[in-house]
Each structure stands twice: as structure tokens, then as C-alpha cells.
Amino acid sequence: MPDARALARTALVLACLWPAPAAARLTQAELARVVVAPEPDAQAPLDLAFTDAAEGRPLRLSEAIGGRPTLLLPVDYTCGNVCDPMLSMSGNALAATGLEAGRDYSLVLVGLDPRDDTAAARRMLDQELGLPAIAARTRALVGDEAAVRRLTGALGYGFVPDPGTDSIAHPAAALLLTPEGRVARILSPLALNGRDLRLALVEAGEGRAGHLGDRLALLCYGFDAARGIYTPLIHRILGVAAAATVIALALGILLLSRRTRRA
């Protein structure tokens, strides 16, 4: 029986192509390269230069990230299938976090097709994000093939152009970057919710965004990328509990000793 994950991946890849799957001309070997598999401590090249679609000026990736935890969405600006809901659902999840775009986090789009211009990027942003407060602070980047390949290669993000359908097969995935540009998480934009995304952003920012309650929650919860939810970190809980138990026993013995002497 075919592997369920492989089938799901193939379905997502084909959804990024022309709507009629029969028109796709990529081979199974080519589709196998459409994965997200960053190396440990993968780092985005912050010196890469792109064009900011909103302002039409050169912009380095470091400036787009702005020293904040960043949700990076590689997209095809002319894709009318999965890329559109990816951006829309990511925007809704970010709005539900209660965090402020441009202050607590950055949202950065990177076009995978170097043939797409700034007008295509602005059109996708205007039509699909639908959240003025977030859209105004979103960086939609357009770059040449060399810049796009260098960025995706550093992040372990594989994609394959399909000349037969004039489209790009790419993973329906978002990369959560630390303020320094390291890959912190791989997220599914189609399965995000505000609470988990808020915690992921706070975690990626090492506690520099969000409220005290978020930081306390992160002490007991970590992100399970396989299931897409937060699960208890049992070893942390046991470690803290053991230390608290030792301290409590020591204090108890000290108090009993003092009371015995007084008696």
C-alpha cells in the first residue's frame, strides 16, 4: 500500500500545479525533490538582495526580517491554487495570535518564480491577505533565480518548475525563522491556529515577544512538528519537580529541627 505521507505530499504538490493533475508533466523522481528538509541549524543568508514589491526598492533579507521572529512563506505569486489559501490562512492565524506585525514578528513572502514581477506580488498580497494591519507590514520579495536558489538551498526547501504547465511544484509549507535567520520550525500554513502560532513565534524569538504568560507556557510545552501541536516536555517537568521536592524536604527538616529544639 502506498505510504500515506507520500500520497499527501504528492496531493499538495499537484495542487500547486495546474488544476488538472493530468496536465502535470513532472516525473516521480522530480516530485521526490519537492520536500522541506533543512539541515540542523540551517541559516538563511541574510545578505541576499531582493526587490520589495511594495516600495520597488532593493531590500536585503536581513532588513525584511528586521531582527524579529519571522514567518517565511515561499510562494508562486501567480499560483491560483494552494498558494492563495496558504497566505490567507497564515494571515488569519497571525491575526489570532494577538501579536503585532512589524513589532513582535515579521511576515515575509518570497517568490519562487523569478519571472513574476512586483505587480504580481502586490496583487497576491492585496487580494489574498485581506488584513490591512498585517498587509501593510508584510514584505513581499521578488528576486532573480540565483537569489531564490541560494535562499531555498540554504533552508532545505526543494521545488521544481514545470514548463509543461507554466507552474512550480513546491511544498505547501512555511518556515519559522529566529531573529537571526535560523530555521526554528517547519509549519503547515493550512493547519495553523492562533494559540500555537503565538507560542511558536514567542519560542522562535526566545521570549522577546508576547506576555509573561506565554514565556511561562513555553517552559512546559514544546512544538511537536510531526503532529503540529504543543505537547508536555516531561523531562523539564520532572527536573523542576525533583528540584522543588528536594528544597521542600530540606525546608521541612529545618523547621522540624527548630521546633524540636524549642520544645
Side-chain angles (χ1 to χ4, degrees), residues 19-143:
R25 299 180 183 178
L26 296 180
T27 65
Q28 286 298 321
E30 289 172 320
L31 290 176
R33 289 156 44 197
V34 183
V35 295
V36 188
E39 296 291 332
D41 296 323
Q43 169 82 45
L46 299 181
D47 62 327
L48 281 176
F50 292 90
T51 299
D52 179 25
E55 300 179 5
R57 67 179 180 89
L59 188 73
R60 293 194 180 276
L61 186 60
S62 58
E63 187 178 351
I65 291 175
R68 294 177 286 270
T70 297
L71 190 65
L72 179 71
L73 280 174
V75 296
D76 179 356
Y77 288 128
T78 57
C79 170
N81 300 294
V82 170
C83 290
D84 289 349
M86 273 175 53
L87 177 55
S88 177
M89 296 176 75
S90 295
N92 290 335
L94 287 168
T97 63
L99 301 175
E100 183 178 335
R103 186 193 69 182
D104 299 323
Y105 69 87
S106 296
L107 175 59
V108 177
L109 312 182
V110 175
L112 295 172
D113 191 342
R115 297 172 300 175
D116 291 343
D117 57 14
T118 56
R122 289 195 303 270
R123 186 162 52 248
M124 183 182 196
L125 196 60
D126 294 340
Q127 293 177 355
E128 301 303 328
L129 195 51
L131 298 163
I134 296 178
R137 294 173 175 82
T138 297
R139 297 293 191 179
L141 305 181
V142 174

Side-chain angles (χ1 to χ4, degrees), residues 2-263:
D3 182 77
R5 291 185 179 178
L7 290 176
R9 182 180 65 187
T10 301
L12 285 175
V13 168
L14 291 178
C16 292
L17 300 171
W18 172 240
R25 299 180 183 178
L26 296 180
T27 65
Q28 286 298 321
E30 289 172 320
L31 290 176
R33 289 156 44 197
V34 183
V35 295
V36 188
E39 296 291 332
D41 296 323
Q43 169 82 45
L46 299 181
D47 62 327
L48 281 176
F50 292 90
T51 299
D52 179 25
E55 300 179 5
R57 67 179 180 89
L59 188 73
R60 293 194 180 276
L61 186 60
S62 58
E63 187 178 351
I65 291 175
R68 294 177 286 270
T70 297
L71 190 65
L72 179 71
L73 280 174
V75 296
D76 179 356
Y77 288 128
T78 57
C79 170
N81 300 294
V82 170
C83 290
D84 289 349
M86 273 175 53
L87 177 55
S88 177
M89 296 176 75
S90 295
N92 290 335
L94 287 168
T97 63
L99 301 175
E100 183 178 335
R103 186 193 69 182
D104 299 323
Y105 69 87
S106 296
L107 175 59
V108 177
L109 312 182
V110 175
L112 295 172
D113 191 342
R115 297 172 300 175
D116 291 343
D117 57 14
T118 56
R122 289 195 303 270
R123 186 162 52 248
M124 183 182 196
L125 196 60
D126 294 340
Q127 293 177 355
E128 301 303 328
L129 195 51
L131 298 163
I134 296 178
R137 294 173 175 82
T138 297
R139 297 293 191 179
L141 305 181
V142 174
D144 59 27
E145 183 174 2
V148 173
R149 288 291 181 183
R150 186 181 168 200
L151 175 61
T152 56
L155 299 179
Y157 184 96
F159 67 98
V160 179
D162 181 7
T165 59
D166 192 27
S167 58
I168 295 178
H170 64 94
L175 296 108
L176 184 62
L177 306 181
T178 68
E180 298 76 28
R182 289 183 293 104
V183 177
R185 304 290 176 207
I186 300 171
L187 305 174
S188 169
L190 305 176
L192 291 176
N193 65 72
R195 179 57 180 170
D196 283 355
L197 182 54
R198 180 186 179 103
L199 290 173
L201 286 166
V202 173
E203 185 180 52
E206 298 177 350
R208 279 176 282 190
H211 301 303
L212 177 60
D214 296 317
R215 301 188 188 104
L216 293 177
L218 289 174
L219 295 176
C220 298
Y221 289 85
F223 195 81
D224 184 343
R227 291 193 292 162
I229 59 174
Y230 279 83
T231 54
L233 296 178
I234 300 301
H235 64 281
R236 286 189 182 180
I237 296 175
L238 292 178
V240 173
T245 300
V246 172
I247 294 173
L249 287 174
L251 290 175
I253 292 172
L254 180 61
L255 290 174
L256 287 174
S257 176
R258 288 183 176 180
R259 287 181 180 178
T260 302
R261 290 176 183 177
R262 290 177 182 176

